[in-house]
């Protein structure tokens, strides 16, 4: 039993903020259907320093935003306007094309606000890459919470341990917020082909290997996957979907669809998000 890969995060600028990008990397483009993973914060946003991600397009994917601290305001071209609070899930399926904006909440602009969370891109299955865009918001209270011997687990998306999240995932996957209390070992199960663990805080051990916060440990398919220690981590994985191409904000199995999307964006042909 061992990890087959450990991926270190790289700092990237997004708007006025700095994130730690975990996926993709050259040697591992996906874990299950997850093609992109950014860690936001922890960062204290003071007066005059806010999240302000301008309008931008997507195709061929679903974005998932999950916050541990702070709040953000989401708007997109489906007409959705939603405040994201800690523990809530924003799931926006781009499909054939969507635009969106993410900003700090206007009531937070004059205060010190701790922001911490993740943004994930989930590739759509082959026959669903060009669906009509839609938006779904699932509040914290609606997500299944599992009490295990050594952990409390909030199931963000997909299925695990016999439970299913109400978030409308488009293919078999798992995304879970795992809090370990240090009292024992948690078995992750073998329901999904790909499984990886991302420590967010504390001291997490995966397959007898200590992982620093922000470093993604990937388990071998088919082998027993165990984690222990104390702190908080993100479990992610699912069934592989096959090759996906990524260019800027576009994801698709067909490179020509990405080229078409870029030309459409350049020509002003995407639906617009209300300011």
């Amino acid at each position: 039993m061992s990890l087959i890969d450990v991926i270190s995060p790289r700092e990237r600028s997004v708007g006025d903020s700095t994130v730690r990008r975990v996926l993709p990397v050259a040697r591992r483009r996906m874990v299950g259907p997850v093609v992109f993973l950014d860690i936001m914060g922890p960062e204290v946003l003071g007066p005059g320093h806010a999240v302000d991600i301008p309008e931008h397009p997507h195709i061929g994917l679903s974005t998932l935003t999950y916050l541990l601290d702070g709040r953000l305001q989401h708007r997109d071209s489906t007409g959705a306007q939603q405040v994201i609070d800690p523990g809530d899930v924003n799931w926006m399926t781009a499909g054939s094309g969507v635009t969106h904006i993410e900003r700090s909440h206007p009531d937070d602009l004059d205060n010190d606000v701790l922001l911490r969370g993740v943004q994930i891109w989930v590739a759509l299955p082959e026959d669903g890459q060009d669906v009509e865009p839609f938006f779904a918001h699932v509040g914290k209270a609606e997500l299944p919470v599992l009490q295990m011997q050594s952990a409390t687990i909030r199931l963000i998306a997909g299925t695990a341990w016999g439970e299913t999240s109400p978030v409308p995932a488009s293919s078999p996957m798992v995304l879970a917020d795992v809090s370990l209390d240090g009292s024992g070992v948690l078995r992750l199960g073998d329901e999904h082909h790909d499984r990886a663990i991302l420590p967010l805080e504390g001291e997490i051990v995966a397959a007898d290997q200590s992982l620093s916060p922000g470093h993604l440990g990937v388990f071998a398919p088919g082998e027993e996957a165990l984690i222990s220690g104390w702190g908080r981590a993100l479990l992610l994985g699912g069934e592989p979907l096959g090759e996906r191409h990524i260019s800027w904000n576009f994801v698709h199995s067909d490179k020509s669809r990405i080229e078409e999307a870029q030309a459409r964006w350049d020509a002003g042909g995407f639906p617009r998000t209300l300011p």
Side-chain angles (χ1 to χ4, degrees):
M1 180 181 66
S2 61
L3 297 176
I4 59 173
D5 203 354
V6 176
I7 299 170
S8 301
R10 299 93 63 208
E11 287 194 352
R12 296 288 186 270
S13 295
V14 177
D16 293 331
S17 298
T18 299
V19 301
R20 288 175 289 160
R21 184 153 299 160
V22 181
L23 289 174
V25 293
R27 68 181 184 273
R28 186 167 299 277
R29 309 300 294 179
M30 304 171 70
V31 174
V34 176
V35 294
F36 179 95
L37 170 57
D38 271 357
I39 304 171
M40 300 178 285
E43 180 181 17
V44 176
L45 303 176
H49 185 196
V51 174
D52 188 4
I53 309 300
E55 183 185 38
H56 59 281
H58 291 290
I59 67 164
L61 58 85
S62 295
T63 64
L64 186 151
T65 304
Y66 183 77
L67 298 179
L68 283 70
D69 296 289
R71 58 179 173 173
L72 291 172
Q73 191 166 48
H74 167 98
R75 294 176 183 263
D76 67 46
S77 56
T78 72
Q81 301 182 35
Q82 180 65 54
V83 175
I84 316 169
D85 288 308
D88 295 350
V89 180
N90 259 24
W91 178 277
M92 181 187 73
T93 294
S96 59
V98 76
T99 60
H100 73 130
I101 295 168
E102 285 179 322
R103 293 177 175 148
S104 293
H105 193 282
D107 293 346
D108 295 337
L109 298 180
D110 295 327
N111 304 310
D112 288 338
V113 175
L114 174 63
L115 180 67
R116 185 170 58 136
V118 293
Q119 185 163 80
I120 292 170
W121 295 358
V122 180
L124 296 174
E126 192 75 27
D127 60 356
Q129 295 178 97
D130 302 309
V131 297
E132 285 293 311
F134 68 89
F135 175 83
H137 177 83
V138 178
K140 177 180 178 179
E142 301 174 66
L143 299 174
V145 176
L146 297 80
Q147 296 292 341
M148 314 289 273
Q149 181 178 356
S150 58
T152 300
I153 302 161
R154 177 168 284 107
L155 186 57
I156 301 169
T159 59
W161 295 283
E163 295 284 349
T164 300
S165 166
V167 171
S170 51
S171 65
M173 67 172 293
V174 59
L175 187 67
D177 181 352
V178 180
S179 294
L180 294 169
D181 63 14
S183 65
V185 176
L186 177 65
R187 287 170 171 79
L188 302 183
D190 58 1
E191 177 180 355
H192 299 286
H193 182 275
D194 289 356
R195 294 158 300 165
I197 196 76
L198 178 73
L200 299 171
E201 61 188 30
E203 298 178 2
I204 305 295
V205 175
D208 296 326
Q209 184 170 342
S210 180
L211 289 175
S212 300
H215 291 68
L216 184 73
V218 183
F219 295 96
E223 290 190 4
E224 188 175 44
L226 307 176
I227 61 172
S228 60
W230 64 271
R232 199 167 180 181
L234 201 67
L235 167 66
L236 63 145
E239 298 308 305
L241 293 179
E243 185 179 19
R244 291 294 185 271
H245 305 287
I246 302 177
S247 179
W248 190 37
N249 298 311
F250 305 130
V251 173
H252 210 281
S253 61
D254 183 348
K255 282 185 177 180
S256 69
R257 290 287 293 113
I258 290 176
E259 294 166 358
E260 291 168 3
Q262 184 65 63
R264 180 157 48 112
W265 172 253
D266 292 343
F270 267 77
R272 305 313 298 260
T273 301
L274 294 174

